[in-house]
Amino acid sequence: MSLVRVDIDGLLATLTMTNQPKRNALSEAMINEVLAGLDEALAAKVRCVILRAEPGVKIWSSGHDIQELPKSHRDPLGWSDPLRVVIRAIEEFPAPIIALIEGGVWGGACEVALACDIIVATPDSTFAITPAKLGVPYNVTGLLTFMNAASLHTVKEMAFTARPIDAERALLVGLINHLRQADEITAFCVEMARGIEKLAPLAIAVMKEELRVLASAHSITPRMFERVQGMRRKVYDSTDYEEGVKAFKEKRPPVFLGE
Ligand code: YZS
């Protein structure tokens, strides 16, 4: 069964996540199809991509496939984790990617949406940063995606409360570019993409890369990095992390002990 539909129409590719029964959880299989769709778009020399879920869904994506998170004692968000791979592919894709958001966007999916270049959402969309719900030690580049998308205080509130914010507030705090009603969002995004198509693709590709490089230009010493990695290791070795993943699978609220 296909989890992502790829439609190429001239210079525009639309990638539609279609696994609503699992709320578009970002499984390795789903992410591999997104990556294949991006490869197809690249080969077709498209000048813009729209990443979306099917119209009318309640959940855009429920985030990392929790069933695929390691149970314990292994970094759940290491360099080759599918979520990390797709974030890099989106950031490095040499043309703009518009996230067309309808519905709830959870955890790793929130990072996927914010890693896109332009974000357009319907009024009933919500955005949540959820590692604290599961006990996940989020990784440094992942937090940078959030920090580059909103103010530090907004990111802290979202990460520390794990509460979804609604689209209106997301617009107010600069997390998203535009709000559009469900019946007009597709036309709005396509019209924006058609405008981008007519502009100079090499100039856009180099600006995207320059902005990516500048946005990630934070220096961190080896000592600082190793310290943070050591702290993260304590979290994925903790019983809290085990409990978070186990509780989701058992469909009950987790009980965190802080150890
Ligand atoms: O019971 P079945 O087999 O039908 O499966 C259910 C859910 O278990 C499954 N599902 C997921 N499976 C794996 N990973 C997921 N993230 C995930 N989300 C859902 O889909 C089937 C339908 O789910 P329901 O719960 O029955 O659907 P609904 O009542 O509509 O609720 C939808 C939401 C999205 C509100 C609910 O499924 C939910 O709370 N899901 C988890 C959302 C979440 O916490 N995502 C963050 C995942 N973590 C990350 O992305 C990062 C690693 S981190 O933790 O650091 O943020």
Side-chain angles (χ1 to χ4, degrees):
M1 189 191 76
S2 163
L3 305 173
V4 176
R5 197 172 58 246
V6 180
D7 298 296
I8 297 188
D9 176 10
L11 297 173
L12 169 65
T14 302
L15 273 51
T16 307
M17 297 180 283
T18 60
N19 192 10
Q20 230 4 250
K22 292 289 175 194
R23 307 300 185 260
N24 287 335
L26 299 171
S27 61
E28 185 169 9
M30 160 85 85
I31 284 178
N32 282 341
E33 290 195 26
V34 172
L35 295 171
L38 289 177
D39 283 347
E40 204 179 320
L42 192 63
K45 295 189 165 54
V46 304
R47 295 193 181 172
C48 197
V49 174
I50 294 175
L51 177 62
R52 64 172 304 161
E54 288 172 301
V57 296
K58 293 238 163 56
I59 305 292
W60 190 79
S61 168
S62 59
H64 203 300
D65 188 321
I66 298 170
Q67 302 289 351
E68 293 183 2
L69 285 173
K71 286 196 187 84
S72 62
H73 305 301
R74 192 155 66 78
D75 189 344
L77 297 171
W79 180 260
S80 55
D81 177 77
L83 177 66
R84 304 302 341 137
V85 175
V86 78
I87 298 281
R88 291 195 295 274
I90 289 169
E91 289 176 343
E92 290 165 17
F93 191 81
I97 302 184
I98 301 174
L100 185 165
I101 309 286
E102 207 177 342
V105 184
W106 295 85
C110 190
E111 193 192 344
V112 167
L114 299 180
C116 292
D117 301 295
I118 297 166
I119 304 146
V120 185
T122 57
D124 65 351
S125 303
T126 60
F127 300 82
I129 302 178
T130 53
K133 259 180 62 180
L134 278 178
V136 169
Y138 219 75
N139 61 311
V140 180
T141 47
L143 286 182
L144 193 58
T145 313
F146 294 120
M147 275 176 64
N148 285 332
S151 76
L152 189 57
H153 289 109
T154 301
V155 174
K156 284 186 175 181
E157 181 186 333
M158 290 178 73
F160 300 163
T161 66
R163 284 204 190 130
I165 66 166
D166 63 34
E168 217 165 286
R169 173 127 191 269
L171 184 69
L172 192 71
V173 298
L175 209 67
I176 64 173
N177 296 79
H178 297 277
L179 259 189
R180 282 293 177 279
Q181 296 296 332
D183 60 357
E184 59 184 37
I185 191 168
T186 302
F188 179 84
C189 291
V190 170
E191 197 269 331
M192 184 186 282
R194 296 298 181 206
I196 290 170
E197 274 176 29
K198 296 189 185 74
L199 299 173
L202 297 179
I204 291 177
V206 75
M207 283 191 287
K208 176 166 170 173
E209 180 60 6
E210 286 172 288
L211 289 167
R212 185 188 71 76
V213 168
L214 289 170
S216 60
H218 292 256
S219 61
I220 169 165
T221 63
R223 182 182 164 136
M224 278 182 213
F225 181 74
E226 282 173 13
R227 182 170 158 268
V228 170
Q229 284 298 91
M231 290 170 76
R232 293 188 60 244
R233 192 174 316 116
K234 272 196 185 156
V235 180
Y236 61 73
D237 277 345
S238 68
T239 48
D240 274 0
Y241 171 73
E242 256 178 89
E243 164 66 5
V245 174
K246 198 162 169 271
F248 176 83
K249 290 179 182 169
E250 292 170 4
K251 297 183 188 284
R252 61 170 174 82
V255 181
F256 293 126
L257 301 174
E259 53 194 45

